[in-house]
Short mmCIF file of all heavy atoms in Angstrom, two decimals:
data_model
loop_
_atom_site.label_atom_id
_atom_site.label_comp_id
_atom_site.label_asym_id
_atom_site.label_seq_id
_atom_site.Cartn_x
_atom_site.Cartn_y
_atom_site.Cartn_z
N THR Q 8 7.72 5.61 5.90
CA THR Q 8 8.60 6.25 6.87
C THR Q 8 8.00 7.56 7.35
O THR Q 8 8.01 7.86 8.54
CB THR Q 8 10.00 6.51 6.25
OG1 THR Q 8 10.50 5.27 5.76
CG2 THR Q 8 10.95 7.08 7.27
N VAL Q 23 3.47 10.98 27.47
CA VAL Q 23 4.32 12.08 27.93
C VAL Q 23 3.50 13.04 28.78
O VAL Q 23 3.95 13.52 29.82
CB VAL Q 23 4.98 12.81 26.74
CG1 VAL Q 23 5.69 14.08 27.18
CG2 VAL Q 23 5.94 11.88 26.02
N ALA Q 66 -16.96 15.95 66.65
CA ALA Q 66 -16.96 15.10 67.83
C ALA Q 66 -15.66 15.20 68.61
O ALA Q 66 -15.63 15.01 69.82
CB ALA Q 66 -17.24 13.65 67.44
N LYS Q 71 -7.00 18.97 66.03
CA LYS Q 71 -6.38 19.01 64.70
C LYS Q 71 -5.80 17.66 64.28
O LYS Q 71 -5.46 17.48 63.13
CB LYS Q 71 -5.29 20.07 64.67
CG LYS Q 71 -5.85 21.46 64.80
CD LYS Q 71 -4.74 22.48 64.81
CE LYS Q 71 -5.31 23.85 65.12
NZ LYS Q 71 -4.28 24.83 65.34
N ARG Q 72 -5.69 16.73 65.20
CA ARG Q 72 -5.16 15.41 64.84
C ARG Q 72 -6.08 14.76 63.82
O ARG Q 72 -7.28 14.71 64.00
CB ARG Q 72 -5.08 14.55 66.10
CG ARG Q 72 -4.42 13.23 65.92
CD ARG Q 72 -4.33 12.50 67.22
NE ARG Q 72 -5.27 13.09 68.17
CZ ARG Q 72 -5.90 12.42 69.12
NH1 ARG Q 72 -5.69 11.16 69.27
NH2 ARG Q 72 -6.73 13.00 69.94
N VAL Q 77 -8.74 14.69 55.94
CA VAL Q 77 -9.99 15.23 55.39
C VAL Q 77 -9.74 15.65 53.94
O VAL Q 77 -8.84 16.45 53.68
CB VAL Q 77 -10.48 16.45 56.22
CG1 VAL Q 77 -11.76 17.03 55.62
CG2 VAL Q 77 -10.71 16.05 57.66
N ALA Q 79 -10.13 17.87 51.77
CA ALA Q 79 -10.55 19.27 51.63
C ALA Q 79 -9.32 20.14 51.44
O ALA Q 79 -8.20 19.76 51.82
CB ALA Q 79 -11.33 19.72 52.86
N ARG Q 84 -10.36 23.03 55.58
CA ARG Q 84 -9.96 22.35 56.83
C ARG Q 84 -9.88 23.35 57.97
O ARG Q 84 -10.33 23.08 59.08
CB ARG Q 84 -8.60 21.67 56.65
CG ARG Q 84 -8.63 20.46 55.78
CD ARG Q 84 -7.26 19.85 55.74
NE ARG Q 84 -7.13 19.01 54.58
CZ ARG Q 84 -5.99 18.70 54.01
NH1 ARG Q 84 -4.85 19.15 54.51
NH2 ARG Q 84 -5.95 17.93 52.96
N VAL Q 88 -12.05 23.20 61.58
CA VAL Q 88 -11.42 23.17 62.91
C VAL Q 88 -11.80 24.41 63.71
O VAL Q 88 -12.07 24.32 64.91
CB VAL Q 88 -9.89 23.02 62.78
CG1 VAL Q 88 -9.20 23.23 64.10
CG2 VAL Q 88 -9.55 21.66 62.21
N VAL Q 100 -19.85 20.46 72.81
CA VAL Q 100 -19.47 19.66 71.65
C VAL Q 100 -20.73 19.48 70.82
O VAL Q 100 -21.80 19.22 71.37
CB VAL Q 100 -18.93 18.28 72.08
CG1 VAL Q 100 -18.62 17.41 70.88
CG2 VAL Q 100 -17.72 18.42 72.96
N VAL Q 102 -22.39 17.09 68.26
CA VAL Q 102 -22.28 15.74 67.72
C VAL Q 102 -23.21 15.64 66.51
O VAL Q 102 -24.42 15.77 66.64
CB VAL Q 102 -22.64 14.68 68.78
CG1 VAL Q 102 -22.56 13.29 68.18
CG2 VAL Q 102 -21.72 14.81 69.98
N TYR Q 131 -28.33 15.95 64.98
CA TYR Q 131 -27.28 16.61 65.76
C TYR Q 131 -27.76 16.85 67.18
O TYR Q 131 -28.96 16.93 67.45
CB TYR Q 131 -26.85 17.92 65.10
CG TYR Q 131 -27.91 19.00 65.07
CD1 TYR Q 131 -27.97 19.97 66.06
CD2 TYR Q 131 -28.85 19.05 64.04
CE1 TYR Q 131 -28.94 20.95 66.04
CE2 TYR Q 131 -29.80 20.03 64.00
CZ TYR Q 131 -29.85 20.99 65.01
OH TYR Q 131 -30.81 21.96 64.98
N LYS Q 134 -23.58 18.53 73.38
CA LYS Q 134 -23.20 17.82 74.61
C LYS Q 134 -22.23 18.70 75.39
O LYS Q 134 -21.58 19.57 74.82
CB LYS Q 134 -22.56 16.48 74.28
CG LYS Q 134 -23.53 15.52 73.61
CD LYS Q 134 -22.96 14.13 73.52
CE LYS Q 134 -23.98 13.21 72.89
NZ LYS Q 134 -24.40 12.17 73.79
N TYR Q 139 -19.52 15.13 78.52
CA TYR Q 139 -20.12 14.56 77.32
C TYR Q 139 -21.58 14.18 77.54
O TYR Q 139 -22.14 13.37 76.83
CB TYR Q 139 -19.30 13.37 76.82
CG TYR Q 139 -19.20 13.32 75.31
CD1 TYR Q 139 -18.47 14.27 74.61
CD2 TYR Q 139 -19.84 12.32 74.59
CE1 TYR Q 139 -18.38 14.23 73.23
CE2 TYR Q 139 -19.74 12.28 73.20
CZ TYR Q 139 -19.02 13.23 72.53
OH TYR Q 139 -18.93 13.18 71.16
N VAL Q 142 -26.78 18.12 76.44
CA VAL Q 142 -27.17 19.47 76.82
C VAL Q 142 -28.56 19.77 76.25
O VAL Q 142 -29.32 20.52 76.82
CB VAL Q 142 -26.14 20.51 76.30
CG1 VAL Q 142 -26.61 21.93 76.55
CG2 VAL Q 142 -24.79 20.28 76.92
N GLN Q 166 -13.53 22.27 48.28
CA GLN Q 166 -13.08 23.64 48.44
C GLN Q 166 -14.15 24.50 49.10
O GLN Q 166 -13.85 25.38 49.89
CB GLN Q 166 -12.73 24.25 47.08
CG GLN Q 166 -12.29 25.70 47.18
CD GLN Q 166 -12.14 26.34 45.81
OE1 GLN Q 166 -12.85 25.99 44.88
NE2 GLN Q 166 -11.21 27.27 45.71
N VAL Q 182 -28.34 30.67 49.73
CA VAL Q 182 -28.11 31.83 50.58
C VAL Q 182 -26.68 31.95 50.98
O VAL Q 182 -25.93 31.09 51.05
CB VAL Q 182 -28.96 31.75 51.88
CG1 VAL Q 182 -30.10 32.67 51.80
CG2 VAL Q 182 -29.41 30.37 52.18
#
Side-chain angles (χ1 to χ4, degrees):
T8 305
V23 171
K71 293 178 187 171
R72 186 177 18 148
V77 178
R84 288 183 201 156
V88 170
V100 176
V102 178
Y131 66 94
K134 295 190 178 243
Y139 219 68
V142 174
Q166 178 188 32
V182 255

